[in-house]
Amino acid sequence: VKVINDLLGFTNLKIVQDTEYFNFSLDSVLLPNFVTLNKSIKKILDIGTGNIPIPLILTTKTKAQIVGVEIQKEIYDLAYETLKINKLEKQISIINADINEIAKTWETETFDVITCNPPFFTYKETSNINKNVQKTIARHEINLTLDNIFSISKKLLKNNGVIAIVHRPERLVDIISKMRQNNIEPKKVQFIYPKTRKEAHILLIEGRKNGRPGLKILPPIYVHDENGNYVEEIKALFEK
Amino acid sequence: VKVINDLLGFTNLKIVQDTEYFNFSLDSVLLPNFVTLNKSIKKILDIGTGNIPIPLILTTKTKAQIVGVEIQKEIYDLAYETLKINKLEKQISIINADINEIAKTWETETFDVITCNPPFFTYKETSNINKNVQKTIARHEINLTLDNIFSISKKLLKNNGVIAIVHRPERLVDIISKMRQNNIEPKKVQFIYPKTRKEAHILLIEGRKNGRPGLKILPPIYVHDENGNYVEEIKALFEK
């Protein structure tokens, strides 16, 4: 079922969703608020852009050109409608392609910033994969592994460009290892906790191509307070 | 100047310190509260034990035998006095030796748990090193690098044994890399923040020899509240 919603809290931004597919989540709102942006940034790539929640929020923060790549035709179609409704075709381009293939055809050192809210689950034959093929691709590392993300970033990022991803904390060790294998130095990490006294459930991490060692752990973010309400910091993300 | 103090909050434990040397800190109290202990543990090694703050606190939590190794004779002498005053010679043994040398002479797979509050600063010719040689060795990676710690752990830990260290968050990436190089899988991390809205300043990390991938990020700990007082969680560490 196709629906048009406000992008959480952004009353000027609409997002076209299909309730049968994987829909955008808190992760997609956290990432564009986390990634390092500055005025000299010219070009941003969003890998696995879905129905473009990350590019939409980025347009509220930067004038840079944003390219979103989405492998699934059905999801790309939603992104295309979302783009039209928001009249953002000048700032955002979307491409229906496999990033692994299209990246081969692009020039090296093209982007200042890459963002990615990748599939979280390692694909195994035995995985309890979703019968809905769109959800399966969106949620499992079938088309897009950590190796893919960081080797693509190594090629496409300018020197000192940054790649920021949102992931699950249990993969931190793998992410750090794969980043370093691709000359991307982890520089900034933030953990999101469902509430106080709980383990982190979301990881935000940014690495810099050819960056110098030295990691910052940003202040923790809690999603809910003791009463189960969103904390002010999370509400603020949704009130732009 | 030599002084005998209560070990912070532990009214039954005394610690002998010399104000000219590097003295124990919050780090040494956090680590024995963080490390995973269970009843089957027989033998613990504390590397760079100083005036044995970590072994002292461990005695309040486990019946295991604890071996502390300290390279510096002057610090070892303080540890020896501390041991006598607390009458803990049966549970704690201390050795005045370079862990890198003595580890070569020991059997493999000897310890269930290793703890270490290592020197934090990379030693460079240009480092602003402390003129006091005892403080310099205690604070810089001269005698004990991350490579040393984890290759020693690889040898001396039993299969599935754990190594827990306290360090600075900016070294997380190096620590994770060196752990994995030595078949030690990071399993548990906790960040300590000076107060809310500040970056983390202390890292606690535990790895398991031949462990399976999968990291937990424990709830954050703040040291001070908005008014600059210790938070309840930190006070509790000091009120045993």
Side-chain angles (χ1 to χ4, degrees):
Chain A
V1 181
K2 204 156 72 179
V3 290
I4 301 174
N5 293 123
D6 282 0
L7 184 60
L8 275 174
F10 294 85
T11 45
N12 296 325
L13 294 171
K14 308 286 172 195
I15 192 157
V16 183
Q17 307 196 90
D18 188 313
T19 53
E20 282 180 47
Y21 303 159
F22 182 80
N23 286 313
F24 84 96
S25 61
L26 180 61
D27 297 341
S28 300
V29 180
L30 290 166
L31 189 63
N33 282 286
F34 169 77
V35 65
T36 302
L37 302 170
N38 64 51
K39 289 192 176 174
S40 65
I41 288 170
K42 301 237 167 6
K43 220 166 167 188
I44 302 176
L45 171 64
D46 185 42
I47 300 176
T49 197
N51 50 0
I52 60 170
I54 292 169
L56 288 181
I57 298 173
L58 285 172
T59 64
T60 69
K61 298 174 175 294
T62 175
K63 300 287 174 201
Q65 285 296 310
I66 304 163
V67 179
V69 177
E70 172 55 44
I71 190 171
Q72 301 194 71
K73 181 65 169 69
E74 298 83 352
I75 312 290
Y76 168 84
D77 290 342
L78 298 175
Y80 186 79
E81 285 191 61
T82 300
L83 197 56
K84 291 279 178 191
I85 288 173
N86 292 286
K87 301 191 175 71
L88 283 167
E89 300 96 320
K90 278 193 184 163
Q91 193 177 358
I92 301 175
S93 323
I94 51 172
I95 301 172
N96 179 212
D98 181 343
I99 184 67
N100 297 304
E101 295 305 319
I102 201 164
K104 290 177 194 163
T105 72
W106 285 347
E107 293 283 326
T108 58
E109 308 198 5
T110 304
F111 294 96
D112 304 279
V113 172
I114 298 177
T115 53
C116 183
N117 177 4
F120 284 144
F121 304 104
T122 310
Y123 179 74
K124 293 180 197 151
E125 290 297 326
T126 55
S127 286
N128 181 17
I129 63 169
N130 204 296
K131 282 171 194 162
N132 174 320
V133 71
Q134 282 81 19
K135 276 191 184 170
T136 301
I137 290 178
R139 297 183 61 196
H140 289 78
E141 292 181 21
I142 296 174
N143 289 95
L144 190 62
T145 64
L146 290 172
D147 270 323
N148 297 150
I149 294 167
F150 297 119
S151 63
I152 289 166
S153 299
K154 181 185 180 179
K155 176 182 174 178
L156 296 183
L157 279 179
K158 294 179 190 169
N159 189 39
N160 274 313
V162 296
I163 157 92
I165 73 171
V166 53
H167 219 286
R168 294 291 167 253
E170 55 262 37
R171 299 298 299 278
L172 177 67
V173 180
D174 290 329
I175 293 167
I176 283 179
S177 302
K178 301 289 182 199
M179 278 187 164
R180 276 215 165 162
Q181 281 170 24
N182 288 288
N183 299 336
I184 292 165
E185 183 65 27
K187 295 295 288 179
K188 191 167 89 164
V189 163
Q190 193 163 30
F191 293 102
I192 318 299
Y193 300 80
K195 57 182 185 175
T196 56
R197 291 167 222 280
K198 295 284 179 190
E199 290 170 11
H201 65 321
I202 302 175
L203 160 70
L204 299 165
I205 182 166
E206 182 176 274
R208 188 172 289 278
K209 183 173 169 179
N210 303 322
R212 299 172 122 198
L215 181 68
K216 286 185 192 303
I217 308 291
L218 303 193
I221 295 178
Y222 301 100
V223 178
H224 294 103
D225 65 18
E226 302 285 349
N227 302 318
N229 300 315
Y230 278 132
V231 300
E232 293 303 321
E233 202 166 358
I234 294 289
K235 278 192 221 158
L237 294 180
F238 296 145
E239 283 164 9
K240 293 286 158 59
Chain B
V1 181
K2 205 156 72 179
V3 290
I4 301 174
N5 293 124
D6 282 359
L7 183 61
L8 275 175
F10 294 84
T11 45
N12 295 322
L13 295 171
K14 307 288 171 193
I15 194 159
V16 182
Q17 307 196 88
D18 188 314
T19 53
E20 281 181 45
Y21 303 159
F22 183 80
N23 285 314
F24 84 98
S25 61
L26 180 61
D27 297 341
S28 301
V29 180
L30 290 166
L31 190 62
N33 282 285
F34 169 77
V35 65
T36 302
L37 302 170
N38 64 50
K39 289 194 176 175
S40 65
I41 288 170
K42 300 238 167 5
K43 221 165 167 189
I44 302 176
L45 171 65
D46 186 42
I47 299 176
T49 198
N51 49 359
I52 59 170
I54 292 170
L56 288 181
I57 298 173
L58 286 172
T59 64
T60 69
K61 297 174 174 293
T62 176
K63 299 288 174 198
Q65 285 295 311
I66 305 163
V67 178
V69 177
E70 173 54 44
I71 191 171
Q72 302 195 71
K73 181 65 169 72
E74 298 83 352
I75 312 291
Y76 168 84
D77 290 342
L78 298 175
Y80 186 79
E81 284 190 62
T82 300
L83 197 56
K84 291 279 176 190
I85 287 172
N86 291 284
K87 300 192 176 69
L88 283 166
E89 300 98 320
K90 279 193 184 165
Q91 194 178 358
I92 302 175
S93 322
I94 50 172
I95 301 172
N96 180 211
D98 181 343
I99 185 67
N100 297 304
E101 296 305 318
I102 200 165
K104 290 178 195 163
T105 71
W106 286 347
E107 293 283 326
T108 58
E109 309 199 5
T110 303
F111 295 97
D112 304 280
V113 172
I114 298 177
T115 53
C116 183
N117 177 3
F120 284 144
F121 304 104
T122 310
Y123 179 74
K124 293 178 198 154
E125 289 299 325
T126 55
S127 286
N128 181 17
I129 63 168
N130 203 297
K131 281 171 194 160
N132 174 321
V133 72
Q134 281 81 18
K135 277 192 184 169
T136 301
I137 291 179
R139 297 183 61 196
H140 288 78
E141 292 181 20
I142 296 174
N143 288 95
L144 191 63
T145 64
L146 291 172
D147 271 322
N148 297 149
I149 294 168
F150 296 120
S151 63
I152 290 167
S153 300
K154 182 185 181 181
K155 175 183 174 179
L156 296 183
L157 278 179
K158 294 179 189 169
N159 189 39
N160 275 311
V162 297
I163 157 92
I165 73 170
V166 53
H167 219 286
R168 294 292 168 253
E170 55 262 37
R171 299 299 298 280
L172 177 67
V173 181
D174 290 327
I175 292 167
I176 283 178
S177 302
K178 300 291 180 197
M179 277 187 166
R180 276 215 165 163
Q181 280 169 25
N182 289 288
N183 300 335
I184 293 165
E185 184 65 26
K187 296 294 288 179
K188 191 169 90 165
V189 162
Q190 192 162 32
F191 293 103
I192 318 299
Y193 300 79
K195 56 183 185 174
T196 55
R197 291 167 222 281
K198 295 286 180 188
E199 290 170 10
H201 65 320
I202 302 175
L203 160 69
L204 298 165
I205 182 166
E206 182 177 275
R208 188 172 289 278
K209 182 172 170 180
N210 302 322
R212 300 171 120 199
L215 182 69
K216 285 185 190 307
I217 308 291
L218 303 193
I221 295 178
Y222 302 101
V223 179
H224 294 103
D225 65 19
E226 302 285 348
N227 302 318
N229 301 315
Y230 278 133
V231 300
E232 293 303 320
E233 203 167 357
I234 293 289
K235 278 192 220 158
L237 294 181
F238 296 146
E239 284 164 9
K240 293 286 159 59

